Amino acid sequence: MKFEIITTGDSSKTLHLPALNEQYHSKHGALTEANHVYIQKGLEQVIESGAKERTLTVFELGFGTGMNAVLTAAKMAESGGEKCNYVTIEPHMLSEEHYAVFEDESWALPKFYRAMHQAVVGEWTAITPHFNLLKLNTTFEAFTTDLRFDLIYYDAFGPRVQPDLWEPWALEKCADLLNENGTWVSYCAKGTVRRGLEAAGLNVERLPGPPGKREMLRAVKAK
Ligand SMILES: C[S@@+](CC[C@H](N)C(=O)[O-])C[C@H]1O[C@@H](n2cnc3c(N)ncnc32)[C@H](O)[C@@H]1O
């Protein structure tokens, strides 16, 4: 796949796919979006809701640039105490040529970042004392696991580009992957997605979105 590197509204960079006219993150601010949607509305919420003393399990759809994973590892180190086991899937792992572009970014805590990209696919790797990573080279369609998760970062390309990943089967699969009380977050606020999550048995909230997006979605699996 052919990529271009673009600078977004908050000066952080992301990848643009000309063939799909789609980006890995918001053009209004890649880092701001990742922090807002996945860290502030997802991870921080789960940590604050009492997960301090145990190992958190996080699943990410689409490892991509590694931005969500890096921010999560940094937050886990900062909050102290807990550990995070982070499973991420990616059918198109980036080559060094592409991920190296992000190493001069202020957010890209270099040691975590390179270690994450170089972690062996299919093997648990301790990235920090608070963060273990398992990268899998697969699609969500093919992904199977016995693990269940406290938090899902649903970071697929948008419904215009990948409609199938926002269909009821995918949202039901997410609901099944969550632990009781588990949380699903995404930048997407589409009505059909919200209704699909509700139909899958989740309690859905519409929250203020990052710059350029009025709303985002958070959904919790009731006990
Ligand atoms: C919006 S980008 C997310 C980027 C990533 N979370 C990051 O922080 O850079 C979507 C990601 O999903 C991956 N992807 C595409 N098709 C997929 C599929 N069927 N299953 C899982 N991931 C997929 C893409 O390669 C891309 O890395």
Side-chain angles (χ1 to χ4, degrees):
M1 210 153 13
K2 191 175 168 296
F3 302 106
E4 286 168 4
I5 312 292
I6 61 165
T7 300
T8 67
D10 63 2
S11 336
S12 60
K13 295 185 191 117
T14 193
L15 297 174
H16 171 72
L17 297 172
L20 301 175
N21 189 24
E22 179 74 329
Q23 290 70 235
Y24 275 47
H25 303 93
S26 165
K27 286 199 261 193
H28 297 276
L31 177 59
T32 305
E33 177 190 49
N35 260 321
H36 178 93
V37 174
Y38 299 105
I39 305 303
Q40 287 160 19
K41 303 296 183 200
L43 182 63
E44 285 181 6
Q45 178 81 13
V46 170
I47 291 173
E48 279 162 23
S49 72
K52 273 264 176 205
E53 304 306 325
R54 59 190 174 85
T55 298
L56 284 183
T57 49
V58 179
F59 170 71
E60 177 188 35
L61 185 147
F63 178 66
T65 63
M67 188 184 283
N68 291 339
V70 168
L71 293 174
T72 302
K75 176 55 70 178
M76 293 309 295
E78 178 193 309
S79 52
E82 327 84 17
K83 229 188 209 140
C84 172
N85 285 340
Y86 193 98
V87 178
T88 181
I89 59 170
E90 177 56 68
H92 310 290
M93 295 287 178
L94 294 182
S95 64
E96 185 173 0
E97 174 202 356
H98 288 115
Y99 70 71
V101 170
F102 297 94
E103 284 185 316
D104 61 354
E105 297 254 18
S106 57
W107 61 265
L109 309 170
K111 273 192 273 174
F112 297 170
Y113 188 70
R114 187 153 279 253
M116 284 179 174
H117 278 281
Q118 292 183 341
V120 176
V121 170
E123 284 182 18
W124 279 105
T125 306
I127 301 292
T128 75
H130 299 274
F131 189 93
N132 299 321
L133 178 69
L134 177 63
K135 288 192 303 187
L136 298 171
N137 187 197
T138 188
T139 62
F140 192 53
E141 292 86 332
F143 175 63
T144 56
T145 182
D146 291 334
L147 297 172
R148 290 296 175 268
F149 300 92
D150 300 314
L151 181 58
I152 293 181
Y153 297 161
Y154 204 75
D155 203 9
F157 290 127
R160 176 185 63 83
V161 173
Q162 282 192 306
D164 196 38
L165 287 177
W166 302 93
E167 292 289 329
W169 74 265
L171 305 172
E172 283 161 19
K173 186 165 179 172
C174 287
D176 185 48
L177 287 170
L178 285 172
N179 281 325
E180 281 186 1
N181 258 337
T183 299
W184 177 103
V185 270
S186 180
Y187 65 88
C188 181
K190 212 176 166 195
T192 53
V193 175
R194 180 169 53 79
R195 290 188 289 278
L197 291 163
E198 283 167 351
L202 304 184
N203 295 329
V204 188
E205 286 175 277
R206 284 185 283 192
L207 301 173
K213 284 219 87 200
R214 201 160 53 87
E215 293 183 330
M216 58 164 278
L217 295 177
R218 180 168 64 204
V220 175
K221 183 167 176 172
K223 273 193 188 163

